Every structure is written in C-alpha cells, then in structure tokens.
Amino acid sequence: VTEVDVESLRPLFAGRLHTDAADTAPSLTDWRRKWTGAALAVAEPDTTADVAAVVRWCRDHSVPIVPQGGNTGLSGGATPDSSGTALVLSLRRLQRVRRIDTVGNTIEVEAGVTLERLQEVAREAGRLFPLSLAAEGSCTIGGNLATNAGGVEVLRYGNARDLCLGIEVVTADGEIWDGLRHLRKDNSGYDLRDLFIGSEGTLGIITAGVLRLFPLPAEQAAAFVAVPSPAAAVALLELAQSRLDASLTAFELMSDVCVRLLVKRVEAARLPLRERSPWYVLLEVSEMQPGARAAEAIERVLQTAIEAGVATDATISDSEARYDAIWAIREEVTEAQAREGPSIKHDISLPISEIADFVRETDAAVDAACPGLQKVTFGHLGDGNLHYNLSPPPVPRDVDAFVALEPRLNRIVHDAVMARGGSISAEHGLGALRRDEAARYKSTVELALLRAVKDALDPQHLLNPSKALP
Ligand SMILES: Cc1cc2nc3c(=O)[nH]c(=O)nc-3n(C[C@H](O)[C@H](O)[C@H](O)COP(=O)(O)OP(=O)(O)OC[C@H]3O[C@@H](n4cnc5c(N)ncnc54)[C@H](O)[C@@H]3O)c2cc1C
C-alpha cells in the first residue's frame, strides 16, 4: 500500500481541507455517538466543479470517499471506518439557492443548504417546502435526498423522493451529471434520479436538487390526544382520514414511556393533558382556505372519537404558541432518548393494519427475552412507520449488558416486521447499522441486482464503501 499524500489535493480545489485532529473530529463521529472513525482528511469544496476535482483525485489515488452533509443521520452512513484511509467529503459549503420558480413551484438548491433554510426561503416566496423533521436545523438537502428522508408530513406530501424533480450528481469518475430537470413528467429512459435518491452516498455525490413547492396553508392546528392503545390510535387514524382527507397533514404516535423520558430529560417539557395515558397521538390539520377553521375540524373528529372510546382526552391548539408547544413534545423525543444513554433503535415500517398486533406481540416477545427495557416507541403512524426504540431499564443500569442485547433484540423485532410484510428501514437508510441485517432479508435476486448497479456506477467501490449495500 503506497502512502497517499493528501497535501497534493489542496491546490486542486477551492474550499477547505482539514487535516488537524481538532478540525476533523466533529466529522468523524455520528450524532448518536455510536460510531467513530478516522480519515485522511475532511474536504469541504465550495462548488460542484470542486467536488468533481476532489472525486477525481480520490479516483486517481484509490482513496475511498465518505460523503457527509449535516451529519445527523441515524444509521452511521456518514462516518468513515477506523482504517483512516478514507476522505470525508463534506457538502456543507455548497450553499447557493440557485433558482426559485413560483409558477412551476420549484426550487433549485445546492446540497449543503440546510432543510430549515430551504423551508425559510420557500416561505419568503409565499410557498411551502413540506419536508419536516426534528434535525431540520442541521441536516442538509443533499443528505435528505441521499437518505430519502421522511419526517412528519409524509402522510400528505410524501418523502424526499416524492418531493424531488431533478438532481445534479458527481459520478464516481468525477464527471458531473446535470439531471436538474424542473419537470413533473419525464419518461425519457431509466430514472437515474431515483437511483441516486436513497443510495446513501454509495452511487454518486449529490451536489444540487430541484424540489417541489406547495401553497402555504392558510391555517393550521394541532391536537395532542390521549388514546388507550395502538389499536385505538389506528382507529382514530381511519376516522380522521375519512373525515379530513388531504387536510390531515400529520398523524404521529408515541408511548407514555416517551413522555416519561421527556419530562425527565428535557427541562421545559410537560404533558399538555391532565392525566397520563398509555399512548398519545399528535395530529395536525392544514386548511388551504382562509377561515376554514382547522381547530373546529379537529374538534368534530375528536368528539366522535371520544364517544367511540378510541380517544379519552385531548387538547387542541388555539394559538401559534400552543401549536408550537404541541409539536415540541414530539420533536424532543429523539433528543430525550439520546440523553437517557445508549439506545437500540428500529426504524421500521409495516402495513398500518398490522401495527397494533405487531406492537402487542413484539412488546411481549421483548419482555420475555429481556425484561425491564424501556420501550420508547413513537413514530409516523400515518405512514406505517414506527421507531421501535429500546433504552436500558431506569434501574439498575448496566449499560454494557444492555448494548450486548442488540443482536438478539434486532432478531426479535426484525423477524416480526418481515413476517408481517414490513421493512427494517423506513426512513433512516441502512448505513452501517442495517447493512448486514438487510442481507438476511433480501432475496439473492435482489442482492444481485443491487450489486450490479453498484458495479456499474462505482466500479472501484470507492463511494462510501461498506455502507448500505449488503
Ligand atoms: C433529532 C433527529 C430527528 C430525526 N428525524 C428524522 C425523521 O423524522 N425522518 C427521517 O427521515 N430522518 C430523521 N433523522 C435522520 C436524519 O436527520 C436524516 O437522515 C437526514 O436526511 C440526514 O441528512 P444529513 O445532511 O445530516 O446527512 P448525513 O448524516 O451527513 O448523511 C447521511 C447519509 O447520506 C450520505 N450523504 C449526505 N450528503 C450526501 C450528498 N450530498 N451526496 C451523497 N450522499 C450524501 C452520507 O454519506 C450518509 O450515508 C433524524 C435525526 C435526528 C438527529
């Protein structure tokens, strides 16, 4: 193995090249602090042409590349391995909003623009960019596309893939593919865009995207609802969908364990209801017509739900501050669980009609195998997506023993998911976390197709090696 002189990269591009430990450290550990790696350097190019120059240098020196956006991913996909041979390629400095079209309702932005900034730019133009997730202040649109991110508005607007019309990609060979189409319709051959979306940096580097915009809602209201069980929550979802149709923009579920952790770990958090309940639903209604009275629409649905016994109590936002406070409860759950220490996470999806039985049976199987674990179950029930997360028992705390349970718990949870026709990664991707697990559940035909795609687009296997692809 010949030593690679990373300094020879420096004159080839504008932007930054970090080699000092203090500068590279934040890019070498993931948000959960579950993975820490090492790298030759962290490159932060300024433009697409500079990204291409960096990739060509990596190709010529056989240096693996780990693309990175906001580093908020939950599957370890943006962390290099411990060999120290890879270059972390950060897209954060690709910051330009290139074009906004309020007739065609599209916006073209570079990969490093944060999701929050994109939402703000859209709002300033009188439009909604509906992708929304708790990491939006830090995650980037490039990362959102690379992971096909979901979040809380998928029920109404779809995930990152549904919101993307075109992309610009630097290929493994260091060429620039301009696929920045602003078109709703384009059947001119294989859909390369959809191949790169969700590929977690293993097929190409996304440097820009064209995203869809929507009208801003005239009025929004949220409700926090106590429900006795996941089965009741599913019944409430069915009722709300039949009454509210497209006005129902979010439908989230969380267990009381989530609320207990929130109250313990997040200073300002408190339950907006008089009494605790085993489960809660957060639902949001968005009305496009001024004066449509979102809160009243929710109230009518909840009245029926309470009469039918599928809800027991509720609070509905009557101001922007209350609306924000209700959403804050949901958005702080991931952070609250992180503060509780190590966790074993399962980002799963199921046909919605299977969810209640899945939770009941899997809870029982987990209790039987490993008694006392905290089941921090929450997620996007309207999309059939649960974060079936586990934390150690509150006492006694034996963190090492808990971490050692992970393979056994994964097997219990994922076998149950697959038996019900689900997926072991709904929105977080496979990354390092689920790569080998995916191999267990995919057919040999599917694995061969996936490998053929990788071989065709990245023949040297330099793009995010050992991630995502089993
Ligand atoms: C508190 C919290 C809440 C979250 N909630 C949600 C949620 O509701 N829904 C959801 O889907 N996710 C959620 N996430 C996960 C995370 O925010 C998303 O996966 C997000 O899309 C990652 O974006 P990023 O810019 O941080 O990407 P990174 O973490 O930097 O990278 C993620 C993956 O994409 C690759 N990548 C990044 N940028 C590029 C690029 N430009 N080109 C090619 N590959 C690239 C990386 O190599 C890596 O494999 C949450 C995370 C946190 C911390």
Side-chain angles (χ1 to χ4, degrees):
V1 180
T2 48
E3 279 283 298
V4 175
D5 175 17
V6 78
E7 288 304 321
S8 67
L9 170 59
R10 206 178 283 279
L12 300 182
F13 75 107
R16 295 182 183 158
L17 184 69
H18 300 293
T19 50
D20 289 350
D23 297 329
T24 58
S27 302
L28 303 181
T29 299
D30 75 305
W31 187 88
R32 290 175 70 188
R33 306 199 177 283
K34 190 175 166 67
W35 295 272
T36 296
L40 275 181
V42 176
E44 294 187 337
D46 286 346
T47 63
T48 299
D50 286 332
V51 172
V54 172
V55 171
R56 283 197 298 275
W57 179 88
C58 289
R59 178 202 60 190
D60 293 345
H61 295 82
S62 298
V63 169
I65 300 170
V66 179
Q68 193 173 92
N71 200 14
T72 68
L74 298 175
S75 302
T79 310
D81 66 18
S82 56
S83 68
T85 55
L87 183 90
V88 173
L89 174 50
S90 169
L91 282 303
R92 250 171 299 212
R93 284 171 62 87
L94 270 70
Q95 280 289 338
R96 280 192 314 136
V97 175
R98 292 182 184 168
R99 182 172 153 196
I100 182 159
D101 172 357
T102 53
V103 176
N105 280 316
T106 59
I107 185 166
E108 185 178 318
V109 295
E110 294 185 346
V113 171
T114 64
L115 175 54
E116 189 172 70
R117 183 159 160 246
L118 173 49
Q119 294 165 345
E120 281 165 11
V121 171
R123 201 174 304 120
E124 278 159 22
R127 294 293 181 275
L128 173 74
F129 181 65
L131 194 68
S132 175
L133 44 113
E136 63 202 18
S138 315
C139 67
T140 62
I141 199 64
N144 298 152
L145 291 170
T147 59
N148 187 23
V152 293
E153 304 278 309
V154 173
L155 177 65
R156 166 73 179 83
Y157 296 101
N159 50 23
R161 185 188 301 285
D162 299 312
L163 297 169
C164 180
L165 296 177
I167 51 173
E168 180 184 80
V169 171
V170 171
T171 68
D173 216 21
E175 308 264 21
I176 298 168
W177 173 53
D178 179 352
L180 289 167
R181 291 162 195 155
H182 290 243
L183 306 172
R184 299 293 153 111
K185 291 189 164 185
D186 177 15
N187 279 355
S188 59
Y190 299 153
D191 199 329
L192 293 175
R193 172 197 61 195
D194 275 351
L195 210 48
F196 290 110
I197 294 175
S199 68
E200 300 179 62
T202 63
L203 299 180
I205 315 292
I206 300 172
T207 48
V210 178
L211 290 315
R212 296 174 61 191
L213 300 175
F214 295 81
L216 277 171
E219 207 186 302
Q220 286 185 300
F224 198 78
V225 188
V227 296
S229 63
V234 171
L236 177 59
L237 173 65
E238 200 183 344
L239 174 73
Q241 280 185 313
S242 68
R243 295 273 184 90
L244 300 164
D245 192 22
S247 311
L248 184 67
T249 39
F251 196 99
E252 301 284 310
L253 175 73
M254 69 173 82
S255 68
D256 190 48
V257 178
C258 302
V259 170
R260 201 170 64 212
L261 282 191
L262 270 169
V263 172
K264 179 171 156 196
R265 297 282 177 189
V266 180
E267 210 184 315
R270 57 176 195 83
L271 182 72
L273 301 171
R274 276 184 303 269
E275 285 179 23
R276 301 284 277 271
S277 161
W279 293 86
Y280 309 91
V281 160
L282 188 164
L283 64 86
E284 178 194 77
V285 163
S286 306
E287 298 286 7
M288 304 317 292
Q289 302 299 328
R293 300 206 173 113
E296 287 176 24
I298 296 182
E299 207 174 325
R300 284 193 293 275
V301 170
L302 291 181
Q303 225 155 27
T304 310
I306 287 172
E307 281 162 21
V310 297
T312 53
D313 192 10
T315 181
I316 305 173
S317 64
D318 51 10
S319 66
E320 215 175 304
R322 293 276 295 164
Y323 171 87
D324 290 344
I326 286 176
W327 266 116
I329 302 168
R330 168 63 185 85
E331 280 161 1
E332 297 282 10
V333 176
T334 305
E335 181 69 46
Q337 190 181 20
R339 290 183 192 167
E340 184 70 1
S343 55
I344 298 175
K345 291 180 186 258
H346 305 99
D347 165 41
I348 55 137
S349 67
L350 286 159
I352 294 172
S353 53
E354 296 283 338
I355 281 192
D357 288 346
F358 165 83
V359 172
R360 199 184 57 248
E361 286 173 18
T362 310
D363 279 0
V366 167
D367 284 342
C370 316
L373 301 185
Q374 301 183 77
K375 295 182 215 74
V376 191
T377 308
F378 64 98
H380 317 295
L381 183 65
D383 315 324
N385 176 195
L386 285 187
H387 301 308
Y388 189 86
N389 294 351
L390 301 160
S391 285
V395 278
R397 288 181 75 81
D398 181 346
V399 166
D400 292 340
F402 170 73
V403 172
L405 294 173
E406 182 155 9
R408 199 165 153 210
L409 289 163
N410 286 349
R411 187 57 48 84
I412 292 171
V413 175
H414 291 157
D415 282 357
V417 166
M418 296 311 286
R420 294 179 180 280
S423 167
I424 64 164
S425 177
E427 58 176 11
H428 294 164
L430 297 174
L433 180 69
R434 293 283 172 253
R435 187 195 64 163
D436 296 333
E437 200 79 348
R440 184 177 149 77
Y441 297 110
K442 287 188 187 289
S443 69
T444 46
V445 175
E446 187 169 348
L447 289 171
L449 290 170
L450 293 171
R451 288 184 181 128
V453 172
K454 173 73 174 175
D455 289 342
L457 295 188
D458 178 22
Q460 283 195 76
H461 285 220
L462 289 179
L463 294 178
N464 221 357
S466 72
K467 305 287 172 50
L469 186 72

